[in-house]
Amino acid sequence: MLSKEEIKEIDKAISIAPYKKAASVEALKAVQQHRKWISDESLQEVASYLEMSAEELDSIATFYNLIFRQPVGKHIILVCDSISCWVMGHDKIKEKLSELLSIDYGQTTADGRFTMLPNPCLGTCDCAPAMMVGNDLYRNLKTEEIEKILNKYS
Amino acid sequence: MEKPLTQHLRPDGKPLSLKEYEQVGGYQALKKVVKMTPQEVQTLVKDSNLKGRGGAGFNTGLKWSFVPMNVPKPKYLIANADEMEPGTFKDRVLLEQTPHQLIEGMIIAAFAIQASEAFVFLRWAYKTAAEEIERAIHEAHEAGYLGKNIAGSGFELEMHLHTGVGRYMCGEETALLNSLEGKRATPRAKPPFPQVSGLFGKPTIVNNVETLCCLPHIVNNGAEWFKKLSLTQDAGTKIYGVSGKVKKPGAWELPMGVTLRELIEEHAGGMQDGLKFRGALPGGASTDFLVEEHLDVKMDFASVAAVGSRLGTGTVVVLDDQTCPVGFVKNLEHFFAQESCGFCTPCREGLPWIEKILESIENGKGREEDIKLLDAHTRLLGPGNTFCALAPGAMEPLQSALKYFRNDFEKHVKEKGCPHSKKSKYQIAN
């Protein structure tokens, strides 16, 4: 069941839209904020609240790469793999992350702490290579700093 | 040298509060505008020759003029803050550090088309910008610059922040509208153009952040002043950027029309020691390479177009002589293949094919005919064959790489591998 808080956030999005369905992206975002990912159950709950079919909502949920339809770790690592970061050493950063966490892109660590995903350009190309952990942006990354950065996230 | 857009940036990167913004003349342009007619505002901006800074370079005032005036509410004004073009980081500066300048620009644009609702469509990754814009919208509302009866004029405007959930396609004007309507971000057929039938079928203008930030200054100082800021026929200043292996990568507001050489050699401090310039994408991932012979090209819309590329977003990505051009292009095409919305066939099928061919070439499995296949794709996925500009944009760096760095492609095929990666392995072994 959608929580009171989730409903409040979805209703806010509905209030500025001409019809309920138009709030679908905002609703998925709100529910993911609370539940970390969108399970089939979550999807059905949101869809029925927005008076649309679960299939239609799923076509939207699976389109956007930052709506997660699979369980994810506590912290999401988004590694920029676009051109400026690639030139400035993305591959080494990714290799180091994989080595420290024993996971590849799209995987979650055994302890559920991190999910690592490649992400298109983070818009900080003058400070490449870059990555985000949760809401925090790290720029001008050096491989030797990565372990220390990861240790900040319990 | 005047830098209207970035003159109030602070060393700590924090934006001006509403009060501080007002102290340096903020919201004066808005107060002037509401005493004008919408038509007068449109004419002023048209006369200033402000061209869209999102990449297309269309005259902003002219774009507005296609919006019907005497129609029932609502009409919409949208700031495209979904900066996702790889290599582009110019709007981030304005979003994080000048939120009130953006909001004032948006109110001016909304007044010019008589829109009653406005959205900032912000990309998910810009967390600081989201906080600052949310706060600034609230402050502007409290001060009576948003809401009903703005500055006592009777004009009303509500403004909302929408943060996206990924996908490069959202930067495409009509796909952005679909996304805001809660749909998949696929592009729409044009016509009808958004000016007539946009968000929820209502007249809508989508303008880039940098474009909107120019508006308060044009209103305060006039169209002629704006034109004189530039070194060329394209008016105003431009936020240029340089990334890649240069000494001082960064973004700077400069007169429109500085040369590529000045950007790289003076502002970016030149190439890193031991590296040579081989080429550059002048304005993001979907622009054709420029090479050494183009270093003195003026970085404005017309001049860059005249040498076969596009100014795009004006943020330059530099290719150095130690970086493999095939690998460079492979990275770009991987991005485009991944970000294709899958709506039309040439883009959905063609881009992954291109990526696979480039991967074979890079990994030493390329055949001579693969280069010809790539040539063919640049035509098959070119303008006119796809629904939107994503695939044609993806072909720009590929076709120009095949032109300027053809030897590198051929060498990969002949030597069955990447000469650059062999070199680095050799160095590590030593």
Side-chain angles (χ1 to χ4, degrees):
Chain A
M1 239 178 53
L2 294 172
S3 70
K4 257 189 193 161
E5 217 167 305
E6 287 168 339
I7 288 175
K8 198 179 146 200
E9 286 164 37
I10 298 171
D11 282 347
K12 193 182 160 210
I14 293 174
S15 75
I16 59 165
Y19 45 86
K20 285 185 175 179
K21 246 159 77 163
S24 69
V25 173
E26 291 289 355
L28 289 167
K29 251 165 50 186
V31 172
Q32 181 167 285
Q33 183 76 23
H34 292 281
R35 308 181 186 186
K36 299 295 287 178
W37 68 291
I38 304 292
S39 65
D40 289 351
E41 290 72 29
S42 303
L43 190 87
Q44 272 158 5
E45 286 164 19
V46 175
S48 82
Y49 195 77
L50 298 178
E51 293 165 9
M52 63 197 292
S53 73
E55 288 75 14
E56 190 180 359
L57 186 62
D58 202 16
S59 87
I60 295 157
T62 52
F63 183 87
Y64 294 98
N65 56 306
L66 295 169
I67 295 293
F68 306 126
R69 285 285 279 118
Q70 286 175 39
V72 289
K74 196 168 164 200
H75 309 285
I76 309 282
I77 304 175
L78 297 176
V79 189
C80 178
D81 66 347
S82 286
I83 191 62
S84 304
C85 283
W86 179 80
V87 169
M88 300 305 286
H90 155 271
D91 293 0
K92 280 182 193 156
I93 300 297
K94 193 258 163 180
E95 211 172 291
K96 186 73 187 173
L97 282 162
S98 279
E99 183 193 311
L100 290 168
L101 300 172
S102 306
I103 51 171
D104 200 348
Y105 278 146
Q107 297 177 338
T108 301
T109 51
D111 60 2
R113 243 170 98 213
F114 295 105
T115 295
M116 180 168 73
L117 300 166
N119 198 73
C121 192
L122 291 172
T124 184
C125 319
D126 52 339
C127 304
M131 69 172 182
M132 284 178 81
V133 184
N135 289 341
D136 308 326
L137 176 66
Y138 295 94
R139 326 186 198 209
N140 294 313
L141 279 173
K142 292 180 185 67
T143 46
E144 56 271 23
E145 297 166 350
I146 289 178
E147 192 164 9
K148 209 171 146 193
I149 292 172
L150 294 180
N151 285 341
K152 286 196 232 170
Y153 299 88
S154 53
Chain B
M1 190 166 56
E2 285 188 87
K3 299 181 179 189
L5 270 57
T6 57
Q7 61 187 325
H8 300 303
L9 297 192
R10 295 198 279 218
D12 66 359
K14 293 265 183 288
L16 302 183
S17 67
L18 176 75
K19 209 171 164 196
E20 291 166 327
Y21 183 64
E22 286 175 325
Q23 278 164 0
V24 295
Y27 290 107
Q28 288 304 315
L30 164 64
K31 287 173 189 161
K32 267 189 212 172
V33 158
V34 293
K35 292 189 186 117
M36 297 163 72
T37 64
Q39 195 54 51
E40 283 170 341
V41 183
Q42 289 190 14
T43 306
L44 170 70
V45 174
K46 210 186 288 176
D47 290 347
S48 78
N49 199 20
L50 169 64
K51 290 181 177 173
R53 304 300 200 230
F58 193 78
N59 182 298
T60 304
L62 191 60
K63 186 174 183 177
W64 294 349
S65 71
F66 302 128
V67 174
M69 290 312 278
N70 297 314
V71 290
K73 283 204 292 189
K75 285 189 260 183
Y76 295 100
L77 183 277
I78 297 164
N80 187 345
D82 192 56
E83 183 166 69
M84 267 194 76
E85 179 76 16
T88 302
F89 52 101
K90 65 177 183 76
D91 293 339
R92 182 196 275 269
V93 179
L94 298 170
L95 289 160
E96 289 181 352
Q97 302 185 45
T98 69
H100 278 295
Q101 177 175 255
L102 172 65
I103 291 169
E104 188 178 12
M106 287 177 71
I107 303 168
I108 294 167
F111 181 84
I113 60 162
Q114 291 291 294
S116 59
E117 298 261 344
F119 286 91
V120 180
F121 191 106
L122 181 71
R123 69 169 299 191
W124 178 92
Y126 286 5
K127 299 289 178 190
T128 308
E131 270 173 41
E132 298 301 348
I133 289 165
E134 195 78 78
R135 180 180 338 193
I137 290 176
H138 180 74
E139 282 181 334
H141 217 284
E142 294 285 291
Y145 296 130
L146 286 171
K148 290 193 189 333
N149 196 19
I150 292 171
S153 67
F155 175 62
E156 63 178 276
L157 180 69
E158 289 299 334
M159 191 176 287
H160 316 283
L161 172 68
H162 173 89
T163 51
V165 272
R167 295 312 291 264
Y168 175 63
M169 272 313 300
C170 292
E172 200 273 344
E173 192 169 80
T174 60
L176 181 151
L177 298 175
N178 276 343
S179 188
L180 257 187
E181 290 185 9
K183 299 173 184 159
R184 294 163 77 96
T186 50
R188 296 177 181 177
K190 291 190 269 191
F193 286 89
Q195 288 95 322
V196 180
S197 176
L199 187 62
F200 302 116
K202 304 291 180 190
T204 303
I205 283 289
V206 183
N207 283 144
N208 169 263
V209 168
E210 188 184 350
T211 312
L212 290 161
C213 286
C214 292
L215 297 174
H217 308 287
I218 293 172
V219 170
N220 282 329
N221 303 303
E224 285 311 308
W225 166 86
F226 190 69
K227 283 188 201 166
K228 282 185 191 140
L229 290 174
S230 157
L231 304 171
T232 63
Q233 55 185 355
D234 291 332
T237 58
K238 175 81 192 79
I239 300 184
Y240 293 103
V242 177
S243 65
K245 291 193 175 166
V246 292
K247 286 203 179 99
K248 293 182 295 177
W252 317 274
E253 184 181 7
L254 299 167
M256 178 71 88
V258 298
T259 64
L260 183 58
R261 187 187 299 281
E262 187 184 329
L263 280 181
I264 294 172
E265 292 178 5
E266 288 178 33
H267 300 285
M271 300 300 293
Q272 286 183 7
D273 292 333
L275 297 178
K276 281 190 191 132
F277 173 86
R278 266 206 95 186
L281 306 174
S286 56
T287 57
D288 285 87
F289 278 99
L290 297 181
V291 291
E292 200 156 2
E293 67 191 80
H294 305 123
L295 278 171
D296 293 312
V297 166
K298 290 182 172 133
M299 290 283 284
D300 63 45
F301 293 103
S303 309
V304 182
V307 293
S309 186
R310 291 189 303 120
L311 177 65
T313 57
T315 40
V316 177
V317 188
V318 172
L319 169 70
D320 60 87
D321 66 338
Q322 301 290 313
T323 298
C324 173
V326 178
F328 191 102
V329 175
K330 186 177 82 118
N331 175 280
L332 297 173
E333 299 308 326
H334 165 75
F335 164 81
F336 288 116
Q338 173 187 292
E339 294 302 322
S340 170
C341 76
F343 183 79
C344 73
T345 313
C347 181
R348 183 187 63 235
E349 304 298 323
L351 288 170
W353 196 5
I354 288 171
E355 190 193 346
K356 278 181 198 159
I357 296 172
L358 288 168
E359 202 168 325
S360 319
I361 295 177
E362 179 72 354
N363 295 335
K365 291 177 188 153
R367 307 161 304 167
E368 263 174 52
E369 54 266 41
D370 285 338
I371 299 175
K372 284 185 193 123
L373 258 179
L374 290 175
D375 284 331
H377 273 82
T378 63
R379 291 187 296 274
L380 294 167
L381 272 72
N385 294 333
T386 57
F387 206 75
C388 82
L390 187 139
M395 293 306 95
E396 292 182 23
L398 178 63
Q399 70 193 11
S400 48
L402 286 164
K403 181 173 163 193
Y404 298 121
F405 313 122
R406 201 167 188 91
N407 280 343
D408 292 82
F409 286 82
E410 287 167 354
K411 215 172 163 189
H412 276 71
V413 172
K414 231 175 264 166
E415 297 181 6
K416 299 201 185 309
C418 176
H420 290 271
S421 72
K422 270 185 208 155
K423 201 169 181 180
S424 72
K425 269 179 207 152
Y426 177 71
Q427 281 166 346
I428 291 163
N430 266 338

